[in-house]
Amino acid sequence: MVKVLKPGLSTTVQDLGRPGYYNIGIPLSGGMDRLATRAANMLVGNDEGAAVLEAVFMGPELEFTADAMVAVTGAELPPKVDGAARETWTSFAVKKGQVLSFEFLKKGARAYIAISGGIDVPVVLGSRSTYTLGALGGFKGRKLEAGDELPVGSGKSVKEGRSIPANLRRVNGNPAELRMVPGLYWHRITETAGKHFFEDIWKVAPEADRIGYRFKGGRPLEFVPRTPPFGAGSDPSNIVDACYPYGSIQVPGGTEPIVLHRDAVSGGGYFMVGTVISADMDLIGQLQPHTPARFVSVDLEGALKAREEREAHLHKVRASLS
Amino acid sequence: MKTRYSYGGDEHIFVEMDEEMSLEAFFKALFITNAVRDAKIKGVTEICPANASMQIKFDPDVIKPADMLAELKKLENVAEKAEPVIKTRIIEIPVYYNDPWTHETLMRFRERHQDPKSTDIEYAARINNLDGPDGFIKAHSSSPWFVSMVGFVAGLPFLYQMVERKRQIEAPKYLRPRTDTPKLTVGHGGCFGCIYSVRGAGGYQMFGITPMPIYDPNQKISYLRDFMCLFKPGDIVKWKPIDRTQYDATVADVDAGKFTPLMKNVTFSLDEFHKDIDACNRKLNEVLHG
C-alpha cells in the first residue's frame, strides 16, 4: 500500500487505456505519454500495461508501507527518497516507511511513476485508467487526494539502477513539431488559410489537459463560404455533430486549434482540419503551456513510416533492458 | 446523399453519409456500423456511429489503411441495400421543465446567451414561433425523438425529433459555452436535443431536468447494473412532462432502488414513418403505454 501525503496538482492512475467504448462516449484514457508509461513499468519489472501514476507539472508525496522498486519517466521531475536525490529513467528502491517526493519540474509536463507490482485499483471495462469527467476507473474515478491509500500488487524482484540510456529518452524540439495528416473537414478552409495554418508558430494555451490541448497565436482560418447544412448550426466552423478521432484537430470559430487527447470528448459539432499522427501523440502530453509548436503536414505514407520508426524505438528501449 | 471517406491520421477512417442531418443519413450510418461490427474485421478497435456519419479506429499494423478503406466501401454497398427497418426500444424520460437548477445555471451564464433578457425556454419558444413556454413544452414532448448518436461524454444521447423538418425545433448553441451544466439537464443545440449525463461544460440551451439517471459508473442503479450507459444509437425517446412533486418522488424512488423506466421493444420502419408521420408516432405511443 502507498499512502498519499500530498497529491500533487493532478495525479491520476493510468495504464495503456480502455479501448472499445468510444461509441458511447467513453474515451481511450491511459497515459498521455505511452512510451514513458511503458518504460516506467519495464524498469520496475512490471508488465508494460500495468497501472502507474501520471503526475502533471508537480509530483505527489507518497509514503510506502512496504518495500518496492520505483521508476520515474517522462517529464524531468527529479525524485527523492527521504529527501535524497534519485535519477529519473532509472529504477530505485524505496523501503517500508520511506517517503517518495519530488523536486520542481525541470522539463516536460507529465511524469510517470511506476511501482513494482503496479497500482492495483479495480479493473473497470478492461482498464485501471482514470476518466475523471465520467468519474470512472482509477482511484475512485478521480485525481488523488491527501489521505488516499493506493493498493499495490505484488511485484517481481528486479535490480536497482536499471536505466534507459539518455539517447532513447525522447526530447521535444523547439518549436515542437506535430505532424498531422490533413483531412476530415480540411475542405472547409481556403487554400490561403491552409498555408497559414502550417506556416504559423502556435503556442500551447493554458487550457491544455487530458481531454485536449489548445493552441493560440496563429492567424484565424478563413472559411470557404457555404449555406449551412441542416442541423449543423450557423457558424462556418459548425458541422452536424460527428465523431472526433483521437488526435483530431478541431478549430472552433476558426481561431484556436484543439488537439483531442486520451480523455477526448468523443464527438461534437466543430469541424476538424486533420489528425495528428499516432507517432507524435506522446509528445503533446509533454508540452507545457506557452511552448511554441507548429503543425507539419504529412501524407498517410509519412504517418505510417513515422509509426514504424516509433515501434523500432520501443524495441530499442526494451532491448536496452534485457 | 454522397458518401465521403477520409483518413483520420494513421488509425481512423471517417465516413460522412451526408453534410446535412436526415433520418436517411442516420440509418445509413447505423447500418454501416452494424455491418462493420458483424464483419468482425481483425484490427478494428472502435466502431462509432454518429448522426450523419460514422468512424472506425483500427490498428494499421494489423490491417493496412487502404485495405480497411476497401472493406468499408464494400460494406457501404451492403448497407445501402438494407431495408430501413430496425428492432429497437422506446423509452419514456420524465422531464421537469423550467426547473430551479437549470434556471439558476442559465441565469449565472446570461451574458453568454443570445438573449440575456429571456430564459432559454422563452427564447427557444419565440424563435420557433411557439406559444410561450407552455407551447414549447407541448411541441417538445408530443413527438418521439431518435437517439441518433451517443457520445461527447460518457452515455450522453443526441436526440433527433421525429417530425417533418419544418416542425423540428431548432435553436443555436450559447454564444460562448458555459463552464457548468447540471447533471441530467435536457438541452438543445442546432436541431439536436440531448441529456447531459454528467455535470460539466456545455453550450446547448437548457429546458429542464430529468430525475432519471442515464449513466452510472458504479453500476448501483437497478436498470444500469448490466451496463453503465442507458442509451444506444437507434433507441427512441418520449419525454413526459412532470412537476416538482413527481420529480421529487422519482428521485426518491431512484435512490431507494424502486424506479424502473418505462421501456418497450418496438419495430420501426422508416418508409412507414415517411408515409404518415403522425400515425407512426401514435403507434409508437400506443406501444409505450400498451
Side-chain angles (χ1 to χ4, degrees), chain A residues 7-27:
Chain A
L9 206 58
S10 178
T11 306
T12 53
V13 176
Q14 301 293 345
D15 57 19
L16 291 176
R18 184 179 285 118
Y21 302 94
Y22 207 50
N23 59 326
I24 43 159
I26 297 176

Side-chain angles (χ1 to χ4, degrees), chain B:
Chain B
M1 284 203 292
K2 194 176 177 311
T3 311
R4 186 172 67 83
Y5 289 84
S6 174
Y7 289 113
D10 48 323
E11 294 184 333
H12 304 84
I13 294 179
F14 181 90
V15 191
E16 184 189 67
M17 311 307 146
D18 200 353
E19 269 195 333
E20 63 170 35
M21 180 58 191
S22 66
L23 282 179
E24 283 66 26
F26 162 63
F27 265 65
K28 191 168 168 192
L30 192 64
F31 287 157
I32 295 184
T33 304
N34 292 342
V36 175
R37 196 178 297 123
D38 293 346
K40 295 191 168 57
I41 302 160
K42 261 203 181 145
V44 173
T45 59
E46 312 273 0
I47 309 166
C48 308
N51 296 306
S53 57
M54 64 91 65
Q55 170 188 304
I56 58 144
K57 184 167 193 284
F58 63 98
D59 179 350
D61 303 332
V62 178
I63 179 165
K64 283 192 200 127
D67 295 343
M68 189 68 241
L69 187 65
E71 286 285 343
L72 277 175
K73 287 185 171 169
K74 246 192 282 172
L75 293 170
E76 185 200 339
N77 289 330
V78 176
E80 255 175 355
K81 289 188 193 100
E83 202 192 338
V85 174
I86 55 168
K87 284 190 162 57
T88 182
R89 311 179 289 180
I90 180 163
I91 308 169
E92 183 178 82
I93 306 284
V95 190
Y96 178 17
Y97 290 96
N98 265 328
D99 69 279
W101 304 282
T102 57
H103 187 264
E104 186 276 327
T105 310
L106 68 89
M107 291 313 287
R108 230 180 330 133
F109 292 99
R110 223 59 217 132
E111 86 291 353
R112 301 186 185 202
H113 195 271
Q114 290 79 359
D115 183 359
K117 290 205 179 79
S118 354
T119 63
D120 291 10
I121 210 165
E122 286 165 355
Y123 168 72
R126 196 176 68 238
I127 63 168
N128 284 284
N129 299 314
L130 295 163
D131 189 11
D134 289 344
F136 179 86
I137 292 166
K138 189 158 180 280
H140 191 259
S141 61
S142 54
S143 68
W145 299 61
F146 248 113
V147 175
S148 51
M149 175 172 172
V150 178
F152 179 57
V153 292
L156 180 150
F158 287 80
L159 299 147
Y160 187 68
Q161 196 177 10
M162 293 164 65
V163 289
E164 311 85 308
R165 194 172 275 186
K166 65 176 190 323
R167 274 203 281 163
Q168 277 186 321
I169 295 166
E170 284 190 85
K173 295 170 191 172
Y174 272 46
L175 297 175
R176 283 181 299 127
R178 297 175 304 272
T179 53
D180 193 17
T181 311
K183 188 164 129 177
L184 297 175
T185 291
V186 173
H188 199 99
C191 69
F192 295 105
C194 87
I195 306 171
Y196 285 89
S197 52
V198 297
R199 185 179 176 179
Y204 278 25
Q205 307 283 335
M206 298 185 291
F207 301 147
I209 201 159
T210 173
M212 183 183 147
I214 58 167
Y215 168 68
D216 177 20
N218 299 314
Q219 292 180 266
K220 294 234 166 73
I221 290 165
S222 57
Y223 57 91
L224 297 171
R225 244 172 238 155
D226 289 343
F227 196 67
M228 58 183 74
C229 300
L230 176 67
F231 290 111
K232 293 193 292 269
D235 283 339
I236 297 171
V237 160
K238 181 74 171 50
W239 310 111
K240 179 194 174 193
I242 56 167
D243 59 20
R244 177 66 189 259
T245 314
Q246 290 165 302
Y247 176 86
D248 289 342
T250 308
V251 168
D253 281 351
V254 169
D255 289 346
K258 286 194 297 192
F259 178 80
T260 316
L262 180 58
M263 200 186 301
K264 296 280 172 65
N265 291 326
V266 67
T267 301
F268 176 88
S269 154
L270 190 57
D271 294 340
E272 267 179 42
F273 175 79
H274 283 312
K275 225 180 279 163
D276 188 341
I277 291 174
D278 290 330
C280 177
N281 288 345
R282 266 197 307 275
K283 224 176 84 191
L284 287 169
N285 217 21
E286 281 160 19
V287 172
L288 185 64
H289 295 287

